[in-house]
Amino acid sequence: MAYMSMGEAHRRITDYLNRFSDAVSSQDVVSLKQLLSFSSNSPSLLSLADSLNVFQDANRLIKQSDNYSPFADITVPLFRSLQHYRTGNLVDAYLAFEKSANAFIQEFRNWESAWALEALYVIAYEIRVLAERADRELASNGKSPEKLKAAGSFLMKVFGVLAGKGSKRVGALYLTCQLFKIYFKLGTVHLCRSVIRSIETARIFDFEEFPKRDKVTYMYYTGRLEVFNENFPAADQKLSYALINCNPQSEANIRMILKYLIPVKLSIGILPKDWLLEKYNLVEYSNIVQALRRGDLRLLRHALEEHEDQFLRSGVYLVLEKLELQVYQRLFKKIYIIQKQKDPSKAHQMKLDVIVKALKWLEMDMDVDEPSLWMSRWNV
Amino acid sequence: MERRHHSQSHSQRQQGRNHFSSSSSNQSRSNNRFSFPKSSSSSSSANDVRDRRRETQEEKQEEAIVGTCPFMCPEAERLQRQRLRDLAVFERLHGDPRNSSPALAVKKFCRTMSAKEVRASDVRPLPVLEETLNYLLSLLDSTEHPFEVIHDFVFDRTRSVRQDLIMQNIVNDKAINMFEKIVKFHVISHHKLRSSCSSSSISPLHYLNLEQLTKALTSLYNLYEANWSSKPIHEKEAEFRSFYVLLHLDSNGQPVGESLSLWFRHVPSPIIKSKEMWFARQALRYFQMGNYRRFLSTVAAEASYLQYCIIEPYIDEVRSLALCCIHNCYYKLHPYPLGHLSKVLMMEESDVELFCNAYGLQTCIDELGNKLLPTKQTTFCRPKGGLQNYSFLGFQQLGRQIEL
């Protein structure tokens, strides 16, 4: 780090504070959000952090000036957080940032218009990301990670601030999506229910008013919840919405949506084309699709085993396992078709030993009883 | 702690002057008409936040009581219940409904609103809880009283034991051991209560037992996870985890807690690969596919006693399906030997006959004395009342597995 003089440090700090108060008084959200976005690691924020280390009396500077003291509750902890962030002390950075964010929310509530909404988004994002990093730090020190959970509580409070009649309510969906990300990460997915209820059934919000980007994210997460609950028609509807309205440029997002949409579509008998799987690198589904096409039971079991961990973690394993029935149906249909071609007069009688042979070839070890079982299920 | 500073600073600011906002701080709150999961008003939201944080380890330790009650039942409670004649059969000294003793009285379950309301002298420390649990479980062997009566008492008193453990935030190996025993009690009751009720509708006792089984199981899983860093795998964890899968065999049924897909996400890999979990997943697969043959034979071959107890209600369903399939297509040409049916249904032959009769099917005997289902019967119908309990082949061997 190049040597910075006391004067230079002082200048940079007052520069920041001036930009902050100018942004607020002229309602310039673009400038304001840049001042809050730690994770952008912008050179100006980094050099501000360095300046704070050199000129250590920023608090007095803030409190003694009429220009800066109104935002003291925001900037004092913000500076502290930035310093901790710079030294890699994430737990303290999170705690201080949350304090600053809390003060910001109080001001935000008093501002009549929604001019600062995007700055609020930045704060919500930073809270989540800082909390995640803080938890990693806690876990690596053998302590129990609970900052992300605290972030969830904090953002619920912010959500409450946005819910209301004013123009600020369009921000609620962004907050919801941040909350979803937190709950999914923590595994406390049941907490999504209450916020979904607020969005969907409480009569404050008109879903169509929300920004498209937020709607896509929302449908992605609620679609995934439907997959977990094996509610396939709803999952299909929501994930398809997300897919159709997703930015075609963002391939990573499309991939994430497809990862859950494909098992749903497979369950209702719709197979994706191979090029789709290749384009979005979802080759773990290739063998499953193939197995469904061919009626290849062995391939299905093999594919499930090969990617078992991955499928279990993403929560689609049980959905894919249920495809076994469809694979059987496909197999028997093919046998039926072949037999019919060979001997049309006896088409209605499927020979059991033919079936047993086919199954044996697929390494599915069965006695004569079992195929009859399937036949009886489908009234063949 | 950070949280409390927030609420203090907020109220200070409300009293102080706002330099750069002209409107009052109450403005945005006045338009809230809706019930939100967390209140948006400032003071109660600080409380909400504190309540939620209560669940974190630090808060738990701050609030966790250390119990000092030396008896199975706090003396004050025992004396009061003696006065009020509120003593269970097992608590009465020489059968006297007005008299108990420290050796007989056990603390009743009682809902408390928060840990703050409870006195340390009413809470039993770990060693006392262990003794209490052992005593309670020993009552299960008693033959003096009908099972429902014993179950009812042990049900309530173990619930109080669980409550004392949780209130004191005891999360070590011993707690795990105790919760495992309690879950075992509920599982065996699940089986025994079913045998004793004759109708197909589930008795309230049975339902409530299932409810507590699920709660105790969830607490147990939390304990396993809390101990993950100090001891990754517990001896019986795989079996107890498998219970969750077996309780959720029917995805169309009442969802109890998290969906299976979600639940699987945070099961540790070694558990998933265990044979107990493998069995449960196979049972799930065969059940959902309707493969009655493999379902029943796998259960017979692989299930432990406790796993069998949980899966028992599904066995009837599967057998019903089996009979239906067989009736629909198997014996159109030749009579179906009951011996074979007995192997498919994993049922004693004598019970098979009763089972078929319950479904409106007659049996006959051939020249060799073998019992058969004659062909082309048209009288198949589902039994209107409930089914009685039928045997399960190999059950006797399973029964020998239990030790409480």
Side-chain angles (χ1 to χ4, degrees):
Chain A
M1 182 175 77
Y3 171 75
M4 191 191 301
S5 71
M6 197 61 109
E8 176 70 15
H10 182 275
R11 189 188 67 76
R12 288 188 190 195
I13 293 171
T14 53
D15 191 34
Y16 179 96
L17 292 167
N18 285 331
R19 278 188 288 152
F20 193 98
S21 70
D22 287 346
V24 173
S25 49
S26 59
Q27 299 196 347
D28 177 2
V29 74
V30 176
S31 307
L32 183 59
K33 40 182 222 190
Q34 283 168 8
L35 299 173
L36 301 165
S37 174
F38 282 17
S39 57
S40 65
N41 287 322
S42 68
S44 62
L45 276 175
L46 294 177
S47 74
L48 175 66
D50 293 339
S51 312
L52 289 166
N53 278 333
V54 171
F55 181 91
Q56 305 229 333
D57 213 5
N59 289 358
R60 193 174 53 87
L61 182 65
I62 293 173
K63 288 175 182 165
Q64 284 183 350
S65 151
D66 279 343
N67 278 337
Y68 309 145
S69 58
F71 325 103
D73 283 348
I74 301 177
T75 48
V76 166
L78 192 65
F79 280 179
R80 194 166 67 239
S81 176
L82 186 58
Q83 284 177 287
H84 286 306
Y85 181 79
R86 187 78 169 107
T87 57
N89 191 346
L90 272 313
V91 176
D92 290 329
Y94 170 78
L95 289 170
F97 194 94
E98 202 201 85
K99 194 163 179 190
S100 171
N102 196 44
F104 182 90
I105 303 300
Q106 306 313 321
E107 290 310 321
F108 179 84
R109 291 164 84 162
N110 297 331
W111 296 329
E112 271 187 57
S113 79
W115 73 266
L117 210 49
E118 287 192 25
L120 189 71
Y121 293 167
V122 168
I123 286 187
Y125 176 84
E126 294 295 325
I127 283 270
R128 177 175 67 87
V129 167
L130 278 174
E132 281 178 16
R133 292 182 62 178
D135 272 359
R136 280 206 285 277
E137 184 180 287
L138 285 168
S140 68
N141 293 335
K143 301 207 196 105
S144 132
E146 21 93 286
K147 296 305 173 208
L148 193 57
K149 196 168 181 184
S153 304
F154 180 78
L155 289 183
M156 265 319 283
K157 200 168 80 168
V158 179
F159 181 89
V161 169
L162 292 175
K165 228 177 184 177
S167 51
K168 293 174 191 167
R169 72 179 187 275
V170 297
L173 205 61
Y174 182 88
L175 259 300
T176 303
C177 294
Q178 293 300 313
L179 281 165
F180 281 166
K181 291 184 196 213
I182 291 179
Y183 295 148
F184 269 73
K185 183 128 195 178
L186 288 173
T188 54
V189 161
H190 59 282
L191 292 174
C192 295
R193 231 181 304 144
S194 62
V195 79
I196 290 174
R197 224 183 302 138
S198 303
I199 295 280
E200 293 187 4
T201 61
R203 269 165 279 148
I204 329 170
F205 301 112
D206 177 7
F207 194 71
E208 295 314 311
E209 281 185 326
F210 290 123
K212 194 174 188 189
R213 171 200 64 174
D214 294 339
K215 286 194 280 194
V216 168
T217 311
Y218 180 82
M219 285 298 197
Y220 165 75
Y221 279 105
T222 50
R224 278 181 68 181
L225 288 176
E226 302 288 5
V227 176
F228 287 144
N229 294 329
E230 298 194 1
N231 193 351
F232 297 135
D236 187 10
Q237 181 211 15
K238 294 184 183 183
L239 291 171
S240 297
Y241 178 102
L243 186 66
I244 293 167
N245 290 295
C246 185
N247 178 359
Q249 260 40 358
S250 51
E251 290 201 1
N253 287 346
I254 293 181
R255 178 177 189 277
M256 276 164 50
I257 298 171
L258 284 173
K259 194 163 114 166
Y260 294 95
L261 187 55
I262 287 174
V264 172
K265 290 287 194 192
L266 291 177
S267 300
I268 54 184
I270 299 176
L271 273 52
K273 302 264 186 281
D274 286 333
W275 66 260
L276 187 73
L277 297 177
E278 276 169 33
K279 177 171 181 185
Y280 293 103
N281 192 21
L282 289 163
V283 289
E284 61 264 29
Y285 293 127
S286 301
N287 281 341
I288 296 189
V289 174
Q290 183 80 300
L292 273 169
R293 267 197 209 114
R294 303 208 298 222
D296 189 344
L297 290 164
R298 178 180 51 185
L299 188 58
L300 178 71
R301 292 253 37 108
H302 171 78
L304 285 174
E305 265 175 52
E306 193 184 342
H307 301 285
E308 188 183 73
D309 272 345
Q310 190 181 13
F311 290 151
L312 280 173
R313 296 296 156 220
S314 54
V316 298
Y317 185 92
L318 294 177
V319 176
L320 295 170
E321 194 175 56
K322 283 191 175 153
L323 296 173
E324 198 169 358
L325 202 57
Q326 283 185 44
V327 176
Y328 266 104
Q329 286 175 319
R330 180 81 189 123
L331 175 66
F332 287 175
K333 188 166 182 187
K334 284 175 89 170
I335 296 176
Y336 172 76
I337 290 170
I338 293 172
Q339 270 196 236
K340 189 172 174 185
Q341 286 171 348
K342 275 194 178 164
D343 189 354
S345 64
K346 290 226 178 104
H348 63 284
Q349 289 172 351
M350 286 188 68
K351 292 200 179 142
L352 284 182
D353 53 330
V354 171
I355 295 174
V356 173
K357 248 195 221 160
L359 291 170
K360 267 216 169 74
W361 180 77
L362 289 169
E363 291 166 19
M364 316 267 14
D365 187 23
M366 283 178 201
D367 56 30
V368 186
D369 269 351
E370 252 177 285
S372 325
L373 183 160
W374 302 124
M375 313 302 242
S376 71
R377 297 292 306 286
W378 306 320
N379 291 318
V380 167
Chain B
M1 302 195 76
E2 274 297 325
R3 289 287 172 205
R4 294 184 196 128
H5 292 158
H6 286 164
S7 59
Q8 279 168 25
S9 69
H10 177 72
S11 51
Q12 278 165 13
R13 293 196 71 242
Q14 281 202 300
Q15 288 154 22
R17 277 173 300 150
N18 269 330
H19 287 277
F20 60 90
S21 62
S22 52
S23 44
S24 82
S25 55
N26 283 320
Q27 185 207 332
S28 56
R29 272 200 305 255
S30 59
N31 292 325
N32 276 346
R33 303 168 281 160
F34 305 88
S35 59
F36 269 97
K38 315 290 174 195
S39 152
S40 60
S41 66
S42 63
S43 54
S44 54
S45 66
N47 280 332
D48 285 341
V49 155
R50 232 180 290 133
D51 281 339
R52 271 174 262 126
R53 291 260 293 172
R54 195 168 279 169
E55 288 166 36
T56 67
Q57 283 299 92
E58 288 165 24
E59 290 268 4
K60 264 190 195 155
Q61 269 151 24
E62 274 182 32
E63 291 184 18
I65 307 167
V66 180
T68 57
C69 172
F71 306 114
M72 293 198 293
C73 181
E75 191 155 9
E77 179 187 317
R78 176 172 63 83
L79 293 173
Q80 184 190 44
R81 288 203 282 127
Q82 279 175 184
R83 265 197 318 274
L84 298 174
R85 300 194 191 199
D86 181 17
L87 294 173
V89 144
F90 304 94
E91 294 173 310
R92 295 176 192 173
L93 196 57
H94 307 306
D96 182 356
R98 290 164 305 179
N99 234 332
S100 182
S101 77
L104 294 175
V106 184
K107 183 180 173 190
K108 247 182 142 171
F109 172 73
C110 170
R111 283 183 210 286
T112 52
M113 295 318 291
S114 78
K116 290 206 162 83
E117 291 173 10
V118 174
R119 294 177 300 196
S121 56
D122 284 342
V123 178
R124 297 158 289 181
L126 182 60
V128 177
L129 288 171
E130 285 180 304
E131 269 178 45
T132 308
L133 184 60
N134 289 337
Y135 168 70
L136 288 170
L137 295 176
S138 72
L139 294 174
L140 292 170
D141 295 329
S142 146
T143 46
E144 274 178 56
H145 305 272
F147 181 73
E148 279 89 352
V149 174
I150 306 177
H151 164 85
D152 202 37
F153 181 68
V154 177
F155 174 95
D156 180 80
R157 301 309 194 260
T158 50
R159 199 170 172 191
S160 174
V161 168
R162 276 167 37 212
Q163 188 183 42
D164 276 9
L165 282 171
I166 292 178
M167 253 198 280
Q168 297 176 87
N169 197 31
I170 300 176
V171 295
N172 56 22
D173 257 14
K174 299 196 172 183
I176 288 184
N177 196 268
M178 291 178 71
F179 268 88
E180 283 176 351
K181 288 183 176 164
I182 294 177
V183 169
K184 240 185 203 166
F185 155 69
H186 285 297
V187 170
I188 294 178
S189 287
H190 188 65
H191 162 68
K192 285 192 168 163
L193 288 174
R194 213 173 151 262
S195 316
S196 57
C197 83
S198 49
S199 73
S200 63
S201 63
I202 299 178
S203 76
L205 219 53
H206 190 254
Y207 177 80
L208 290 171
N209 181 61
L210 183 59
E211 197 180 50
Q212 290 308 313
L213 180 118
T214 317
K215 285 194 179 162
L217 206 53
T218 308
S219 300
L220 179 58
Y221 294 156
N222 289 338
L223 288 175
Y224 286 140
E225 274 155 40
N227 279 280
W228 184 253
S229 49
S230 56
K231 185 179 175 183
I233 304 283
H234 289 87
E235 201 189 312
K236 303 188 186 131
E237 186 176 346
E239 189 184 6
F240 281 84
R241 292 268 192 185
S242 75
F243 295 164
Y244 195 88
V245 178
L246 297 174
L247 285 168
H248 288 77
L249 238 43
D250 186 1
S251 55
N252 298 324
Q254 286 290 340
V256 185
E258 271 187 328
S259 73
L260 263 183
S261 287
L262 200 48
W263 183 82
F264 266 118
R265 285 173 92 206
H266 43 82
V267 176
S269 208
I271 302 286
I272 294 194
K273 295 188 181 5
S274 69
K275 75 170 170 68
E276 292 89 346
M277 191 56 93
W278 184 89
F279 160 72
R281 288 172 63 197
Q282 291 301 98
L284 177 69
R285 181 176 149 222
Y286 295 140
F287 180 83
Q288 292 188 335
M289 276 211 295
N291 189 340
Y292 55 80
R293 191 69 200 275
R294 290 235 170 168
F295 179 82
L296 291 167
S297 59
T298 308
V299 171
E302 308 272 344
S304 71
Y305 177 70
L306 292 177
Q307 286 172 327
Y308 171 81
C309 288
I310 294 186
I311 218 174
E312 202 179 15
Y314 297 109
I315 289 179
D316 274 346
E317 216 179 298
V318 171
R319 283 170 168 168
S320 176
L321 170 71
L323 196 59
C324 194
C325 287
I326 289 171
H327 169 71
N328 274 334
C329 62
Y330 268 94
Y331 58 109
K332 299 227 152 80
L333 296 177
H334 305 290
Y336 201 96
L338 285 191
H340 192 85
L341 192 55
S342 147
K343 287 206 188 65
V344 171
L345 298 178
M346 296 308 290
M347 209 191 260
E348 302 278 351
E349 222 178 291
S350 50
D351 274 350
V352 173
E353 193 171 354
L354 292 169
F355 188 70
C356 292
N357 291 340
Y359 279 81
L361 295 175
Q362 300 304 314
T363 57
C364 61
I365 304 185
D366 71 6
E367 328 70 69
L368 299 170
N370 296 322
K371 287 209 171 152
L372 313 158
L373 274 179
T375 60
K376 297 199 176 107
Q377 298 197 44
T378 50
T379 49
F380 183 87
C381 67
R382 290 194 187 277
K384 295 200 177 56
L387 289 172
Q388 66 169 86
N389 290 300
Y390 300 101
S391 56
F392 189 85
L393 290 180
F395 184 71
Q396 273 61 43
Q397 283 120 312
L398 288 176
R400 271 178 239 130
Q401 279 180 24
I402 24 161
E403 359 84 44
L404 268 175

